[in-house]
Structure formats: C-alpha cells, structure tokens
C-alpha cells in the first residue's frame, strides 16, 4: 500500500533534521511538563495560595519578557543550532539544581522561585532561536506549516503525558523524582541536536547595533499589520484568558477535594484537548483559513471556561477540561503558524522575539492578576469571567482580522 507522504499528516518527517529534533524534543518536553506541574504543586502545598502560584509563574516568565527581544537579535545574528545546544544544556543544569534542592529536603519557597527565574532567563534565548529553526530543518518549504503543527502536537502530547505522570510520581515518590526525570530527559534533545547537519552558518554581512536591529524589527511589525494584529491578539489572550491554569491546583484540591494525582489527571485532560487540536491543525490542507480557525477556537475556549467553572464534581469536569485544552492551544498555534509563514526570512528571529515578549510579558502579569482575583472572589467565578472575556475578544477580532490581508511583498528583502 502506497502512502502519499506529500499530503500526509506527518509529511514533515521526510526531513532528517526535523525528525531528529522531533524525537529529542518529544522526550524532553515530557520531562519539562513533569517539572512544571511539580513546581506548581510544591508551591501550592507550601503556601495554599492561588496568588503565590501566580507569582511563581511570574518569576519564571517575566525574565523571558525582559530579555526576549535581546534573544531575538542573538537568534538573527548567530548560529541558532549552537544557541540551542547552549540553552538546552543550561536547562538541564537548572533541573539538576532543582533536583538537588528538593531531594536534600532543606528548601524554602524563594529558592524554588529563584531557580524558576533562572529558567526564564534561559528561555528568553531558547524560544527565539528554536521557533524559527523549524524553517532551517525543513528542506521543502511547503512542509513548514505541517512541521509547526506537528511541533505543537508534540508539545501537547507531552502536556498530556507529563502532568498525568507527574501526578502519579508526586503521589508515590515526591517532587524530587519529577525534577530528576526532567534533568535526564534533556540528554535526548542534546543528542538529537548533535546528530543534526546544517550548512555552514553565514553571519549577516552588515552588523548593526542591537538597538538599531530592535528598532528595525518594531518598524517591520508596524508596516505589517497582518502580523502585528496577531501579536496584539496574543497579548490579550495571554493577559486575560490563558492564565486560567493558575487555578487548576485550586480546583483539584479545594473544589474537587483531590490530591496531586487529581491535579495531574486534570492537567492531562487539558493536554489531551490540546493534542487533538494540534493534530487537527497538522491535518489542515493547503488554503485552509487559519484566521477563521483561530477565531472559532477562541469561542470554544470561552465556552469551555464558562462550563468548566460551573462544575463541582471531578468526573463531570474532565470532558470540559478536554475542551479547555482544545480551545487554548489552537489560537496560539495558528497565530504562530501564520506569523512564521508570513514573516520575512531576515526578520523571523526578531518577529518571534516580539511574539515571545507578548506571551512571556503578559502571561506572568495575567497569572498575577488571575491569582489575586481568584483569591478575592473564588476560582469558579474568576474562570466564568475569563470565559466571557474570551467571547468578547473573539467578537472584537472577528471585526478586525478579516479586514487585514497579508502583504507577501515583504518576504523579499530589499
């Protein structure tokens, strides 16, 4: 039986570098989600405070916001492959330090928050290099959208497996084992990076000041409303809607009267929904209206938040957790897919750094905001308000986005 790889959901695997990257990241991302789940659970167990969870997310994400623009310039100036080798090795060292801290049993919350901030600094350089490098891994540029969607599917497969596995490990062995598994998982991605082969890197002929390159990236965004409008959408979602996950431990422990395993299964169901959304995107055919899919998924997310917020029984909440995952990942994935496909090659690193700045800047502020509000009015009412806000955002951008058409003339560097 012959399979037409050109139209296959997995056609990006024809590219050796991408297949290696996917394999290594698949292992590493599971460890990353295990660590992320364990950190939040440890902090909530120590403090019993939703606002402190928000502060923990702030500690990890805000350094990425501060440094992501600088990271974007570095990604456009230097060899992204080597940048990733450095950042992934640094992430492994951070996980090892966290493991040692927890396993020795002599730790306080500020030590955990400090290591979270260190990871945020590493991610400020990792994300702007890793996202555009998908283009470098794919030989046939027709496979780029498929590769980005499969990348998202891989992350969400990890989001499905990682939290559920973390919940079980937390319950049986404790957080230290979760962190040690994450540290070991980085070996896979580092090996995959070492096995990749790229053409010799050519540095830009003209070296400008960093401030000039940042200003050039900002001007490019202003001149390309089809991209800047999507960045604005990411800002709105990251500040007001996506931080609903700040309240997951509260629902697991307080509303559903569960334990670490309950939290893990809840996060796993959200990951399942996100995985389904990612595979649907990966299966999208040429000519698919990604902008309309993005807007419809925000509506799905809003309805999911409203319905989940009304649940008081764990079993009844799980289907709506899947809907949450489906709705929350698709707007971000489609936005990044559109931006990477439409951004000019010489601007891609800086454009992605502005995307990272929008996400990493607003998400920690949103987590602080949502954590504080839920502490005052309760998690269910806070999530209900987020669902209504998501529907309002979808209505606003339904009016704005169709009026903006991409200008493909910016793809050619003048």
């Amino acid at each position: 039986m012959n399979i037409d790889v050109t139209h296959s959901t997995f056609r990006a695997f024809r590219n050796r570098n991408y297949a290696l990257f996917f394999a290594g990241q698949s292992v590493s991302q599971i460890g990353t989600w295990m660590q992320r789940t364990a950190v939040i659970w440890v902090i909530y167990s120590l403090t019993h405070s939703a606002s402190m969870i928000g502060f923990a997310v702030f500690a990890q994400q805000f350094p990425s916001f501060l440094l992501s623009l600088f990271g974007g310039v570095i990604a456009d100036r230097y060899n992204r492959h080597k940048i990733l080798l450095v950042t992934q090795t640094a992430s492994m060292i951070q996980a090892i330090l966290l493991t040692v801290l927890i396993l020795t049993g002599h730790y306080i919350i500020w030590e955990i928050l400090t290591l979270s901030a260190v990871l945020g600094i590493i991610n400020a350089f990792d994300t702007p290099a890793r996202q555009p490098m998908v283009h470098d891994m794919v030989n046939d540029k027709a496979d780029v959208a498929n590769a980005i969607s499969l990348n998202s599917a891989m992350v969400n497969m990890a989001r499905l497996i990682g939290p559920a596995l973390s919940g079980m490990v937390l319950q049986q062995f404790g957080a230290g084992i979760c962190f040690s598994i994450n540290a070991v998982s980085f070996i896979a991605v580092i090996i995959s990076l070492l096995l990749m082969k790229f053409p010799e890197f050519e540095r830009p002929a003209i070296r400008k000041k960093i401030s000039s390159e940042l200003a050039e990236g900002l001007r490019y965004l202003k001149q390309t409303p089809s991209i800047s409008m999507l960045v604005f959408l990411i800002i709105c979602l990251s500040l007001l809607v996506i931080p609903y996950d700040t309240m997951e431990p509260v629902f697991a422990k307080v509303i559903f009267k569960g334990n670490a395993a309950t939290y893990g299964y809840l996060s796993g169901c959200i990951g399942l929904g996100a995985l389904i959304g990612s595979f649907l995107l990966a299966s999208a055919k040429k000519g698919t209206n990604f902008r309309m899919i993005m807007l419809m998924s925000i509506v799905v997310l809003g309805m999911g938040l409203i319905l989940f917020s009304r649940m008081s029984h764990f079993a009844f909440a799980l289907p709506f957790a899947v809907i949450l995952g489906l709705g929350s990942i698709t707007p971000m994935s489609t936005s990044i897919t559109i931006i990477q496909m439409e951004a000019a090659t010489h601007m891609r690193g800086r454009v992605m750094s502005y995307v990272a700045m929008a996400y990493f800047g607003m998400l920690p502020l949103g987590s602080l905001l949502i954590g504080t509000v839920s502490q005052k009015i309760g998690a269910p009412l806070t999530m209900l308000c987020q669902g209504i806000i998501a529907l309002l955002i979808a209505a606003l951008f339904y009016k704005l986005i169709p009026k903006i058409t991409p200008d493909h003339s910016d793809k050619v560097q003048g």
Side-chain angles (χ1 to χ4, degrees), residues 353-371:
S353 72
Y354 276 101
V355 172
M357 182 180 175
Y359 181 75
F360 289 127
M362 294 300 107
L363 189 63
L365 294 176
S367 296
L368 277 178
L369 173 66
I370 299 304

Side-chain angles (χ1 to χ4, degrees), residues 35-203:
Q35 174 167 307
R36 187 176 302 182
T37 305
V39 164
I40 291 176
W41 186 258
V42 167
I43 288 173
Y44 188 66
S45 298
L46 286 172
T47 65
H48 302 286
S49 168
S51 57
M52 188 54 76
I53 296 172
F55 188 74
V57 175
F58 180 85
Q60 179 175 325
Q61 307 280 16
F62 198 68
S64 296
F65 163 69
L66 293 176
L67 296 171
S68 60
L69 290 182
F70 182 63
V73 172
I74 297 298
D76 280 339
R77 277 190 178 191
Y78 299 102
N79 189 322
R80 291 169 186 158
H81 182 224
K82 290 182 179 178
I83 292 172
L84 278 188
L85 277 169
V86 172
T87 56
Q88 293 296 306
T89 303
S91 296
M92 181 171 68
I93 293 170
Q94 187 268 356
I96 291 171
L97 292 174
L98 196 53
T99 301
V100 172
L101 186 68
I102 299 298
L103 289 180
T104 54
H106 302 290
Y107 60 90
I108 54 176
I109 190 167
W110 297 109
E111 293 171 332
I112 299 173
L113 293 176
T114 300
L115 283 173
S116 294
V118 169
L119 185 60
I121 293 170
I122 296 167
N123 286 337
F125 296 91
D126 182 85
T127 302
R130 179 161 40 88
Q131 295 279 11
M133 210 174 91
V134 172
H135 278 262
D136 303 330
M137 298 176 195
V138 175
N139 299 321
D140 184 352
K141 299 311 173 188
D143 293 341
V144 168
N146 177 251
I148 295 170
S149 297
L150 285 175
N151 220 42
S152 178
M154 171 258 292
V155 171
N156 289 303
M157 175 68 82
R159 187 177 178 178
L160 167 63
I161 298 171
L165 188 57
S166 183
M168 290 185 284
V169 173
L170 277 169
Q171 196 68 18
Q172 296 294 324
F173 306 107
I177 302 302
C178 289
F179 301 143
S180 62
I181 291 173
N182 182 43
V184 172
S185 73
F186 280 105
I187 295 173
V189 72
I190 290 170
I191 290 173
S192 72
L193 286 169
L194 291 172
L195 290 174
M196 291 180 191
K197 295 177 182 178
F198 291 98
E200 189 173 346
F201 177 72
E202 294 182 11
R203 291 189 178 186

Side-chain angles (χ1 to χ4, degrees), residues 14-35:
R14 296 181 295 183
N15 305 274
R16 179 181 180 274
N17 283 339
Y18 182 77
L20 283 168
F21 176 80
F22 188 95
Q25 282 284 325
S26 295
V27 176
S28 179
Q29 284 291 328
I30 291 173
T32 298
W33 275 100
M34 288 186 71
Q35 174 167 307

Side-chain angles (χ1 to χ4, degrees), residues 167-398:
M168 290 185 284
V169 173
L170 277 169
Q171 196 68 18
Q172 296 294 324
F173 306 107
I177 302 302
C178 289
F179 301 143
S180 62
I181 291 173
N182 182 43
V184 172
S185 73
F186 280 105
I187 295 173
V189 72
I190 290 170
I191 290 173
S192 72
L193 286 169
L194 291 172
L195 290 174
M196 291 180 191
K197 295 177 182 178
F198 291 98
E200 189 173 346
F201 177 72
E202 294 182 11
R203 291 189 178 186
I206 302 173
R207 297 292 294 274
K208 303 175 184 176
K209 290 182 179 179
I210 290 178
S211 58
S212 299
E213 294 199 21
L214 290 176
E216 188 180 10
L218 186 58
R219 280 197 303 274
Y220 177 76
L221 278 180
K222 287 180 179 178
Q223 295 164 4
T224 319
S226 62
I227 294 177
S228 57
M229 188 59 67
L230 293 176
V231 175
F232 182 52
L233 174 63
I234 290 172
I235 288 173
C236 293
L237 290 175
S238 300
L239 178 65
L240 300 171
V241 182
I242 301 299
Y244 71 83
D245 58 359
T246 302
M247 296 178 289
E248 284 176 36
V250 183
F251 272 92
K253 200 164 190 175
V254 179
I255 308 297
F256 303 139
K257 297 177 172 56
N259 52 28
T262 308
Y263 174 45
Y265 291 134
L266 184 61
S267 298
C269 282
I270 292 173
L272 174 61
L275 180 66
I276 292 169
S278 299
F279 276 122
L280 289 175
L281 284 177
S283 303
K285 296 179 180 178
K286 188 177 180 181
T288 298
N289 188 339
F290 282 111
R291 284 174 170 78
M292 195 52 61
I293 290 175
M294 177 181 61
L295 291 170
M296 290 305 299
S297 63
I298 297 172
V299 173
V300 170
L301 174 58
M303 294 304 299
L305 287 166
I306 291 169
L307 294 170
F308 185 90
S309 71
R310 302 297 89 198
M311 296 296 110
S312 56
H313 295 286
F314 180 60
F316 295 153
L318 292 180
F320 298 107
V322 175
I323 293 173
L324 282 185
L326 176 64
S328 59
I329 191 61
T330 311
M332 308 304 285
S333 296
T334 48
S335 298
I336 290 172
T337 299
I338 295 166
I339 289 169
Q340 290 214 50
M341 290 175 67
E342 295 183 0
T345 302
H346 66 291
M347 284 290 184
R348 200 164 284 135
R350 274 164 286 179
V351 167
M352 287 311 300
S353 72
Y354 276 101
V355 172
M357 182 180 175
Y359 181 75
F360 289 127
M362 294 300 107
L363 189 63
L365 294 176
S367 296
L368 277 178
L369 173 66
I370 299 304
T372 303
V373 170
S374 66
Q375 199 77 8
K376 300 288 185 182
I377 66 174
L381 183 56
T382 304
M383 188 173 282
L384 175 65
C385 293
Q386 285 183 285
I388 295 169
I389 290 170
L391 296 179
L392 293 174
I393 290 173
L396 173 64
F397 281 89
Y398 178 75

